[in-house]
Amino acid sequence: MSLIGPRPHAVNHDDEFSKIINGFFGRYRVKPGITGWAQVNGWRGETDTTDKIRNRFEHDVYYIENWSILLDIKILFKTVLVVISSNNAY
């Protein structure tokens, strides 16, 4: 596991999500992370709707395709802000 990257899901969720989203397993091209682009942009917590799953996936793919040290630093900075200002952390 890495500090930054797509957050992992339970294996049974991965199987379920891969049936909904074409190319879902592409998010495994990088190590999973403790925090990620999806989480700092509000797509954390339950994935109980297709919209939530799709948005999290799209943010994960954006991170993978646009990875840079500066993006990782931005995510770390935003993570601190989200943790400080959030009432509900997952």
Side-chain angles (χ1 to χ4, degrees):
M1 182 171 259
S2 178
L3 182 61
I4 301 169
R7 293 274 298 148
H9 295 110
V11 173
N12 63 328
H13 288 150
D14 282 343
D15 292 339
E16 178 185 338
F17 298 163
S18 68
K19 293 174 186 169
I20 297 169
I21 298 174
N22 189 30
F24 182 79
F25 286 110
R27 56 196 298 275
Y28 290 113
R29 293 182 287 179
V30 298
K31 287 183 182 179
I34 296 169
T35 187
W37 187 240
Q39 286 67 43
V40 299
N41 284 289
W43 298 108
R44 63 187 188 282
E46 275 189 280
T47 48
D48 54 351
T49 68
T50 302
D51 185 50
K52 289 179 183 178
I53 298 164
R54 195 170 310 283
N55 279 299
R56 186 179 290 182
F57 171 75
E58 288 172 2
H59 280 76
D60 289 343
V61 170
Y62 175 88
Y63 171 76
I64 293 166
E65 293 177 350
N66 295 281
W67 178 87
S68 71
I69 295 293
L70 290 176
L71 181 56
D72 278 359
I73 291 168
K74 182 176 183 175
I75 292 169
L76 284 174
F77 180 73
K78 287 185 80 167
T79 297
V80 171
L81 294 177
V82 168
V83 169
I84 290 171
S85 65
S86 181
N87 291 334
N88 59 346
Y90 283 89

